[in-house]
Amino acid sequence: MEQGTLLDEALGSLHLSGRVVLLEDCVETSAAFVLHHILKRSLSQPPHSSNVVVFVAFAHPFSHYDRILRRLGCNLVVQKDNNRFFFFDVLVDCPDGEEGKNSDGGLVALYGKIQKTISALPQENKNCITVMIDDISLMEVAAKGSTNLVLDFLHYCHTLVSEFGCSLVMLNHDDIYSDTVRPSLILQMEYLADILIRAEPLATGLASDVHGQLTVLNSGKERSRNKLSNFQFKVKENSVEYFYPGSRT
Amino acid sequence: MSVTKTRTSSFSRNFASANSSQIPGLKHGPNGTMFISSGIPDLDKILGGGFSLGSLVMVMEDAEAPHHMLLLRNFMSQGLVHNQPLLYASPSKDPRQFLGTLPSPAVPKDDKSSHRDPDQEKGLRIAWQYKKYFGENQHSFDSQGGKHEFCNEFDLRKPLERQFLSGKHIDCISIQDSPNLVTLNDRCATFLSQFPRSDGSISSVGRIAIQSFCAPQCEFSNMEWEMLSFVRSLKGMVRSSNAVAFVTFPPNLLSPSSCKRWQHMADTLLSVKAIPDEDKELEKLLTGYQDMVGLLNVQKVARLNTQVPVILEATTLSIKLKKRRFMVLECLNQAPIDGSSGSSYGTTGSCSVSSKSGTLDF
């Protein structure tokens, strides 16, 4: 952790407070491992033992993340008990099951819950909160395709970012929008994002040694200059190897 | 022969010993998952053991050919052979009729012995002192035979016997006349409530098979968001129960972005393609072209409880029918280039193929 991988280097400052991070991936290459990495990073950084993560899961149940994070060396159950990890399972308790609330897909209620959780936190925890959403495309499905609802939700989350200095990390699949004429959702999200991480397969196809490449666009707040880094990765159970193209022997 | 090794880590537990679980048709997989068989031995091996319990399997159909039905039939038959409850939804008027076309498991003993005998005799004639090795061979064969409980080979020309169909475990729904997806969703929910997931022993396993989900004869086929939210809720429900949902759909009837969403939601994504009948060029390139009935593309392999992607050596496989009865999957083999044909050296086969159709990879 301390020496930092290429990804940590590209993400910049040790904690992401006040930043919006957008992960984009496609069917061939999943960027979920970056999400796990950031989750682990925000929970296990030694100088910030007061870090809190609020995780909104549309894609997988808790057991999935728990097992993965345990491999990475982070026990989510313990963190949950210590009130440092809040997990919202929106996978099973499907919002459209309730007949009356069909119009908003349960997103308003979900935001209410997130806000309540955050405002109930003790003061010393309030400045390093990470809100993570996995993933936005399923949130869109929950909202029955209403882009505006999702965007409203994200804007509200963004106000949390500025109010409390939280960071917001969200995953979306950009190949969904690749042949839409005006993909307003993904464009707005990219506009919101301070750090954009895109996972793509190699042009030559997937190999067992190289699982894909990451492009990290870090538009620092204080610097006007964008930092662009590009490297390849190989995902393993307990770590991810990052390397520059061609640098592996 | 036909199968690519998926992933071997030196630290993986040897599950062969822990193979025998309390119910037939279940196998331990990595990361605390359980596998059930797809009904095609080769496909199981390619996917690393089978379909994971709790996963959503989607098959993209070919518009012109019914190859997805091969996969669907074997999936359903395998479940019935293991006495697993089945929910089958189809856009036809009478879905129960389809059960009559399900294949029957082949009798392994006959087939095996008839296979083995000539080999053995020949071997003995050549070198009798190697007899002990044949003994070992047989032994491994037998252990494989034991494993066959997990996955049967199905004889596509023999219909499934009545005894498997008469069970009360089979639920059939026609999705043709329902104006929306509420009924289907409810049926799936009640079906899946039989198999709640709890840490501990698994008492039974369910299979859901949905054929041609967005077919145009269904009234809801133009309600893309409704279908998406059904798939999402199905995925959520299956994930929290001991069941596998197998959904086939014609992708070209969906809008491109919606189709991508479906693909993202699938845990395991397969696609099938017919191969043109008299494609001379392809015939020259691939060995065994005459026996192929189609191509299977493995686009995504479920990774529940893990972040490591499964990288297959070959994602495109040919579907062949062995003796017109058994479905086998094989890697594509490039035929040796015929020197006498006088084609120029520069135009190698793989080049012309990849330019012709991007779906083939070597």
Side-chain angles (χ1 to χ4, degrees), chain A residues 26-27 30 33 36 58 60 64 67 71 90 137 140-142 144-145 173 175-176 179 211 235-237, chain B residues 31-32 225 228-229 232 235-236 239 256-257 260-261 263-265 300 303-309 311:
Chain A
C26 50
V27 175
S30 162
F33 70 93
H36 305 144
F58 284 91
H60 299 285
H64 174 85
R67 212 170 250 275
R71 285 272 172 76
V90 240
S137 75
E140 248 185 310
V141 176
K144 291 261 159 46
H173 311 297
D175 53 351
I176 291 175
D179 37 28
H211 290 168
V235 185
K236 297 197 287 194
E237 290 287 359
Chain B
N31 305 311
W225 287 105
L228 276 166
S229 68
R232 171 170 172 256
K235 181 181 170 163
R239 195 66 187 266
S257 73
K260 277 282 179 222
R261 283 177 198 274
Q263 296 179 28
H264 274 289
M265 283 202 260
K300 208 156 99 175
R303 41 181 143 167
L304 309 184
N305 301 343
T306 179
Q307 59 175 353
V308 180
I311 308 284

Side-chain angles (χ1 to χ4, degrees), chain A residues 27-30 60 64 206, chain B residues 4 6-7 30 35 43-52 55-58 263-264 266-270 296-315 317:
Chain A
V27 175
E28 294 79 21
T29 312
S30 162
H60 299 285
H64 174 85
L206 298 182
Chain B
T4 57
T6 49
R7 180 164 47 100
F35 284 130
L43 186 60
D44 283 352
K45 279 182 225 156
I46 290 159
L47 297 176
F51 294 143
S52 310
S55 69
L56 171 66
V57 181
M58 294 193 126
Q263 296 179 28
H264 274 289
D267 290 308
T268 298
L269 181 66
L270 310 169
L296 175 85
N297 211 320
V298 183
Q299 313 217 350
K300 208 156 99 175
V301 180
R303 41 181 143 167
L304 309 184
N305 301 343
T306 179
Q307 59 175 353
V308 180
V310 177
I311 308 284
L312 302 173
E313 265 170 48
T315 54
L317 300 135

